[in-house]
């Protein structure tokens, strides 16, 4: 799977566990040296990062004699290097979203065409409910490739006549993922000749589409193992909640409009439906970053209704030294680019709030933010804030790295994070008044989203055991 959150070994797992450091080291050098010895002298280049790890993963699975490999494509499908598998047991396409548009195309239909590239002759494939046109593209790709394609029934269909299924992963969107997982698992178990898979339920009529049907796969009676598997599933960095005393971190690596919408639904249910503390205030904080060619303004607009008191933006760097040290110069060039993106996000957030205030006459009118945002470094710490004071509804702050952002948010109240140092205190009213509010609040609820790499960096700091 990709990307990893904290350590690269997460990408290659056996029985759910990342392979050990020793095993990773052994197979890395084995594959690297073999490629080095056999490469074409005329085109002497090694595979790129993702391709190398894909080759290595296949080698690990062969050497360790796994019974079954579950392979997630990198980007797309048609031209993805994982697509060298010519005869998989089964293929699955989950809910489509707009992402990686510079590579896959800027419409759902183009993206569906790329995803359908994993279909293989005679190999069954399953997908979940999709918009009509993209589903039609998937059907056409399946026909081209002589691949039997089926639509997964809703999870509700598996619950008829039995109790509601409990999912280990929160969020309504995980129900369609679970329905897909059940069909893929059953196909593999049938292939192995397993008995007692539960009788099939009556097949409803096929879903009609323009040009032809995509038949609906039958629901079936779930085994105890399947029910337990759905209940016990864990997935770091997706709808994950970490309760650290008065500070609760809500982590979700959503980075497309559809996944951010799902994230907002989950966050409102998980955090905002909680009763306000009786003994004091609650402060809500958004920690956000986005990378690549993503439409950040569209993502941030979806987050405005959560009514955050503060929005904090920082690059995906875990730690950054901001002292004027010549040894750091090259690194700080890339930091500059990342900070520029954060400043754009900050301006976008400020603009979105002003538009919202314009629409909500009962909210106080904020003061305009004029001109470019100016960095205001203070003795070893860097914080960027709008030069004009903001009302409490969401001052936007920029920090140069995750560690500083998390420390400011936690204000020494999370045992995993050190308190901000005195030298890191910042004279700006928004930051200093925010620090007081965060220190005194009975509950601090923080949503970390927009990038899986941001969530991974946060997990590295909040759950040090994951780095072992």
């Amino acid at each position: 799977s990709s990307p990893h959150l904290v350590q690269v070994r997460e990408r290659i797992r056996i029985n759910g566990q990342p392979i050990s450091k020793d095993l990773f080291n052994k197979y890395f050098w084995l594959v690297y040296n073999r490629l080095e010895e056999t490469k074409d002298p005329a085109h002497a280049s090694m595979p790129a990062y993702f391709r190398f790890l894909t080759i290595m993963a296949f080698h690990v699975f062969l050497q360790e004699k796994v019974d079954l490999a579950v392979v997630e494509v990198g980007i797309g499908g048609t031209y993805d290097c994982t697509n060298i598998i010519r005869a998989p047991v089964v293929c699955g396409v989950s809910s489509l979203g707009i992402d990686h548009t510079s590579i896959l195309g800027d419409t759902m239909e183009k993206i569906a065409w790329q995803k359908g590239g994993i279909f293989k002759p005679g190999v069954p494939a399953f997908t979940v409910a999709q918009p009509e046109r993209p589903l039609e593209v998937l059907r056409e790709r399946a026909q081209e490739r002589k691949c039997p394609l089926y639509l997964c029934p809703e999870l509700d269909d598996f619950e008829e006549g039995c109790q509601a299924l409990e999912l280990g992963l929160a969020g309504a969107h995980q129900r369609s993922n679970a329905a897909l997982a059940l069909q893929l698992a059953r196909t593999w178990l049938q292939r192995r000749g397993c008995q007692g898979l539960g009788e099939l339920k009556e097949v409803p009529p096929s879903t009609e589409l323009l040009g032809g049907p995509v038949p609906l796969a039958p629901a079936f009676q779930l085994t105890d193992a399947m029910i337990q598997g759905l209940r016990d599933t864990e997935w770091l960095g997706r709808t994950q909640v970490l309760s650290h005393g008065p500070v609760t971190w809500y982590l979700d690596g959503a980075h497309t409009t559809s996944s951010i919408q799902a994230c907002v639904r989950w966050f409102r249910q998980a955090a905002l439906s909680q009763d306000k503390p009786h003994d004091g205030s609650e402060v809500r904080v958004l920690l956000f970053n986005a990378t690549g060619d993503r439409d950040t303004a569209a993502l941030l607009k979806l987050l405005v209704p959560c009514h955050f008191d503060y929005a904090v933006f920082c690059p995906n760097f875990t730690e950054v030294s901001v002292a004027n040290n010549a040894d750091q110069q090259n690194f700080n060039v890339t930091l500059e680019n990342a900070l520029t993106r954060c400043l754009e996000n900050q301006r976008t957030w400020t603009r979105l709030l002003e538009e919202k205030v314009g629409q909500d006459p009962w909210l106080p009118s904020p003061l305009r933010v004029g001109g470019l945002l100016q960095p205001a470094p203070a003795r070893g710490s860097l914080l960027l804030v709008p030069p004009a004071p903001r009302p409490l509804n969401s001052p936007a702050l920029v920090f140069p790295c995750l560690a500083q952002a998390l420390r400011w948010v936690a204000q020494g109240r999370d045992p995993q994070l050190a308190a901000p140092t005195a030298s890191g205190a910042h004279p700006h009213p928004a930051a200093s008044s925010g620090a007081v509010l965060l220190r005194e609040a009975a509950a601090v609820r923080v949503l970390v989203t927009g990038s899986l790499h941001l969530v991974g960096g946060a997990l590295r700091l909040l759950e040090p055991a994951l780095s072992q």
Side-chain angles (χ1 to χ4, degrees):
S1 63
S2 64
H4 60 273
L5 289 172
V6 177
Q7 298 191 78
V8 67
R9 296 183 292 113
E10 297 165 29
R11 293 174 183 240
I12 306 172
R13 296 171 181 250
I14 296 178
N15 293 336
Q17 295 303 311
I19 60 172
S20 68
K21 288 180 181 177
D22 288 344
L23 216 54
F24 187 93
N25 191 40
K26 169 187 161 184
Y27 286 124
F28 177 93
W29 288 112
L30 205 152
V31 172
Y32 185 93
N33 292 333
R34 185 76 57 84
L35 290 170
E36 188 70 46
E37 289 158 12
T38 55
K39 67 185 180 189
D40 180 350
H43 308 284
S45 65
M46 294 291 274
Y49 182 79
F50 182 80
R51 293 183 177 197
F52 180 90
L53 288 172
T54 302
I55 295 164
M56 181 177 153
F58 290 143
H59 187 71
V60 169
F61 294 152
L62 287 165
Q63 295 300 308
E64 296 296 312
K65 298 182 170 54
V66 301
D67 302 298
L68 163 71
V70 180
V71 179
E72 180 203 26
V73 301
I75 292 177
T78 301
Y79 303 115
D80 190 82
C81 62
T82 57
N83 207 20
I84 63 167
I85 302 172
R86 292 176 188 170
V89 172
V90 62
C91 296
V93 176
S94 59
S95 188
L96 297 171
I98 297 281
D99 199 14
H100 303 293
T101 50
S102 58
I103 299 168
L104 303 181
D106 55 2
T107 67
M108 292 276 272
E109 288 80 2
K110 290 175 184 174
I111 290 169
W113 187 91
Q114 295 278 1
K115 303 282 185 184
I118 65 169
F119 296 157
K120 304 290 186 292
V123 174
F126 295 88
T127 189
V128 296
Q130 310 280 7
E132 189 172 303
R133 277 293 299 137
L135 184 58
E136 202 176 320
V137 171
L138 288 175
R139 180 186 60 78
E140 288 164 3
R141 291 285 271 161
Q143 282 185 334
E144 274 170 33
R145 292 168 169 259
K146 299 181 171 54
C147 156
L149 175 66
Y150 303 94
L151 204 55
C152 292
E154 298 287 335
L155 205 57
D156 298 6
D157 295 339
F158 290 91
E159 294 176 333
E160 281 177 20
C162 65
Q163 61 193 47
L165 292 166
E166 188 185 330
L167 299 188
L169 300 177
H173 58 293
Q174 296 296 357
R175 289 181 67 81
S176 79
N177 288 339
L180 179 60
L182 289 170
Q183 295 291 350
L184 300 179
R186 183 185 170 86
T187 306
W188 162 249
L189 291 166
Q190 276 182 312
R191 171 83 168 260
R192 289 291 296 265
C194 292
Q195 300 300 311
L197 286 180
E199 61 196 65
L200 295 176
K201 301 189 175 180
E202 194 176 323
V203 185
S206 298
T207 304
E208 291 294 331
L209 275 182
L210 295 172
V214 173
L216 197 62
F220 50 89
Q221 197 176 329
L222 303 187
T223 64
D224 290 344
M226 289 174 176
I227 293 167
Q228 184 184 344
L230 293 177
R231 187 179 62 236
D232 295 348
T233 300
E234 291 179 349
W235 196 3
L236 292 182
R238 276 77 165 188
T239 61
Q240 184 179 2
V241 181
L242 297 176
S243 295
H244 290 186
V247 187
T248 308
W249 305 90
Y250 299 85
L251 304 153
D252 193 81
H255 50 271
T256 65
T257 50
S258 54
S259 60
I260 288 279
Q261 283 170 330
C263 169
V264 167
R265 285 194 297 270
W266 161 70
F267 180 67
R268 293 179 105 165
Q269 191 176 1
L272 307 191
S273 62
Q274 305 285 325
D275 291 334
K276 283 276 178 89
H278 297 301
D279 55 342
S281 63
E282 171 186 282
V283 178
R284 298 174 194 164
V285 183
L286 170 67
L287 178 56
F288 181 91
N289 192 39
T291 58
D293 54 7
R294 298 186 172 94
D295 182 353
T296 311
L299 303 184
L300 287 172
K301 188 171 186 177
L302 296 169
L303 291 158
V304 169
C306 291
H307 300 296
F308 293 102
D309 298 306
Y310 293 93
V312 175
F313 303 96
C314 70
N316 293 340
F317 301 118
T318 311
E319 295 269 5
V320 165
S321 166
V322 292
N324 288 328
N325 183 338
D327 291 342
Q328 295 291 326
Q329 199 57 46
N330 286 346
F331 187 69
N332 280 342
V333 171
T334 54
L335 171 62
E336 248 174 69
N337 294 340
L339 278 173
T340 301
R341 181 84 182 252
C342 291
L343 286 166
E344 288 169 4
N345 292 342
Q346 181 191 44
R347 280 197 292 271
T348 301
W349 183 256
T350 302
R351 177 178 54 76
L352 287 167
L353 285 178
E354 288 176 349
E355 288 171 3
K356 181 171 172 53
V357 168
Q359 294 162 7
D360 295 351
W362 55 87
L363 287 176
S365 178
L367 294 168
R368 285 265 149 209
V369 174
L372 285 171
L373 304 179
Q374 299 301 317
R379 300 186 302 284
S381 178
L382 176 64
L383 169 67
L384 298 131
V385 293
R390 304 281 309 157
L392 178 60
N393 71 324
S394 230
L397 312 176
V398 174
F399 290 88
C401 69
L402 254 165
Q404 288 190 26
L406 293 179
R407 283 184 201 124
W408 181 81
V409 171
Q411 288 296 319
R413 305 180 73 191
D414 183 329
Q416 296 293 358
L417 298 170
T421 57
S423 62
H426 198 278
H428 192 282
S432 50
S433 63
V436 173
L437 282 169
L438 289 162
R439 278 196 297 270
E440 294 180 352
V444 179
R445 304 193 190 281
V446 193
L447 175 62
V448 184
T449 193
S451 160
L452 275 166
H453 302 289
L454 178 79
V455 166
L459 273 173
R460 181 190 289 269
L461 294 164
L462 296 169
E463 296 280 275
L466 293 174
S467 302
Q468 301 307 310

